[in-house]
Amino acid sequence: MAHRHPVRAAILAAFSIASFTSFGVGGVARAAYPDKPIKVVIGFPAGGPLDQHARLLTDKLQAVLGQPLIVDYKPGAGGSVGADAVAKSPADGYTLLLANTGVAVINGALYSKLPYNTQRDFVPIARTAMQPLALLVTPKLPVQDLRQFVDYAKARPGQVNYGSAGNGGISHLVPEMFKTATGIFMVHIPYRGSAPAFTDLMAGQVQFMAESIPQAANYHKQGKVRALAVTSRERNPALPDVPTVIESGIKGFEVVGFYGFLAPRDTPRDVVARLSDAFRQVLTSPEVRERMVSQGADPAYLGSEEFARFLATETPRWDKAVKASGARMD
């Protein structure tokens, strides 16, 4: 039997150990990431759009990372309960937050006593999607496009109502931004969720609404509501014949929600990079992209640093919208 050279054997052993470990604070060896299941916290009940988004990605991420991702629901206070729980979790990459626009950049201006601060308490992992909205009117309104609607509302200040899924959410703030951009005055009617707001829009009890696609596209195609414009820079595949707000003559009006993953602030850089790259790989899959679009979100990957820059520019924009709306939650 051949004998291995002792020095060569020692070097091979060292490489073998290094391939399965990495070094944390103070040079202490830790197991290669990930070596156990990863928890994804959502600050809303099961069954909503964020849950759909998480489940679309987690199966594919398991194949890339080699560990299961378990979705954990911690609803309450507009997603703040879940965000606070993740901010206080160990910064080891095994507890992540799936955040939407509200959790990441609106809640800071909306809640006077928010227990977390997105830019202080988290490190961005990846932006995964953008979510355009459609501007809708009841079919009972005698308008066929956005310019006609603006003219109609300007001629009737305070007589046009718009519905939303509740105070301070994106369906409340986008119409407020639209009011600012056009100089019209509409009255806000908040509902408990988008379903009752849609019911009243179809019946003509409220005349206007901003709602995510594809729910808006579905009702538009059935003739139950009329989509006048989409809030993204490009037209949406679900509503190819509906122009953008910019196309309709309102310069620079691009307002799109987003989804993204965050981790507790001091998560190691190598772990952040591993996760960020895993999301990049999953979001290149044609199947994932197709299914995401069918759920009303556009695949829109940004890595950790780019996502951090995006959050830094979006936060003051939504702060301004919240202040203009007068919305407060405590």
Side-chain angles (χ1 to χ4, degrees):
M1 191 172 84
H3 292 284
R4 290 195 296 172
H5 192 284
V7 174
R8 187 180 300 160
I11 291 169
L12 287 171
F15 270 115
S16 176
I17 292 166
S19 68
F20 287 98
T21 61
S22 55
F23 291 87
V25 177
V28 178
R30 56 181 167 83
Y33 177 86
D35 70 341
K36 62 181 180 180
I38 298 164
K39 183 165 68 175
V40 174
V41 174
I42 296 175
F44 299 92
L50 272 183
D51 189 18
Q52 275 190 326
H53 189 70
R55 294 191 178 281
L56 171 61
L57 297 176
T58 49
D59 287 348
K60 302 291 184 185
L61 284 164
Q62 178 169 338
V64 174
L65 292 167
Q67 291 290 342
L69 284 88
I70 299 157
V71 180
D72 184 17
Y73 309 98
K74 294 187 183 298
S80 302
V81 171
D84 185 41
V86 175
K88 291 180 169 71
S89 295
D92 55 10
Y94 291 101
T95 306
L96 307 179
L97 176 70
L98 172 51
N100 61 7
T101 316
V103 171
V105 295
I106 294 175
N107 283 356
L110 192 60
Y111 288 85
S112 57
K113 296 176 183 175
L114 197 68
Y116 69 93
N117 177 290
T118 300
Q119 293 183 61
R120 180 194 67 212
D121 297 329
F122 295 99
V123 57
I125 299 294
R127 188 186 73 183
T128 50
M130 298 291 275
Q131 192 180 37
L133 290 88
L135 302 185
L136 311 169
V137 293
T138 174
K140 297 179 185 295
L141 222 57
V143 300
Q144 300 300 318
D145 60 41
L146 199 61
R147 290 307 322 177
Q148 287 182 10
F149 174 73
V150 170
D151 291 343
Y152 179 91
K154 277 186 174 174
R156 297 163 181 81
Q159 294 176 43
V160 176
N161 298 329
Y162 75 89
S164 80
N167 275 316
I170 196 167
S171 63
H172 172 201
L173 298 177
V174 169
E176 288 296 321
M177 290 172 162
F178 183 68
K179 283 166 59 176
T180 301
T182 57
I184 64 174
F185 174 58
M186 296 186 288
V187 178
H188 177 216
I189 311 293
Y191 290 81
R192 286 179 169 270
S194 61
F198 254 109
T199 300
D200 275 7
L201 181 70
M202 290 185 284
Q205 299 299 318
V206 294
Q207 290 77 46
F208 183 88
M209 194 171 166
E211 184 54 57
S212 61
I213 303 164
Q215 181 159 263
N218 213 15
Y219 283 114
H220 171 76
K221 284 166 187 169
Q222 293 172 28
K224 293 179 177 176
V225 301
R226 185 175 297 138
L228 300 183
V230 292
T231 63
S232 47
R233 186 162 289 278
E234 316 265 317
R235 291 196 183 198
N236 191 277
L239 290 166
D241 299 326
V242 176
T244 67
V245 178
I246 295 170
E247 278 182 271
S248 303
I250 298 159
K251 289 181 182 176
F253 193 95
E254 180 191 8
V255 186
V256 182
F258 64 89
Y259 295 150
F261 286 76
L262 308 169
R265 180 184 59 192
D266 293 322
T267 301
R269 286 186 184 181
D270 61 322
V271 171
V272 171
R274 177 89 171 91
L275 285 166
S276 187
D277 189 61
F279 280 106
R280 182 191 60 74
Q281 289 181 55
V282 166
L283 286 164
T284 60
S285 157
E287 178 201 346
V288 168
R289 295 175 72 85
E290 192 176 310
R291 285 183 58 198
M292 200 179 285
V293 169
S294 76
Q295 292 177 359
D298 296 332
Y301 171 80
L302 286 180
S304 177
E305 290 181 10
E306 295 93 339
F307 189 23
R309 285 194 289 270
F310 173 81
L311 290 172
T313 57
E314 285 290 289
T315 301
R317 186 182 189 201
W318 289 98
D319 279 355
K320 187 177 174 185
V322 171
K323 287 183 176 73
S325 74
R328 292 301 290 170
M329 303 288 280
D330 291 302

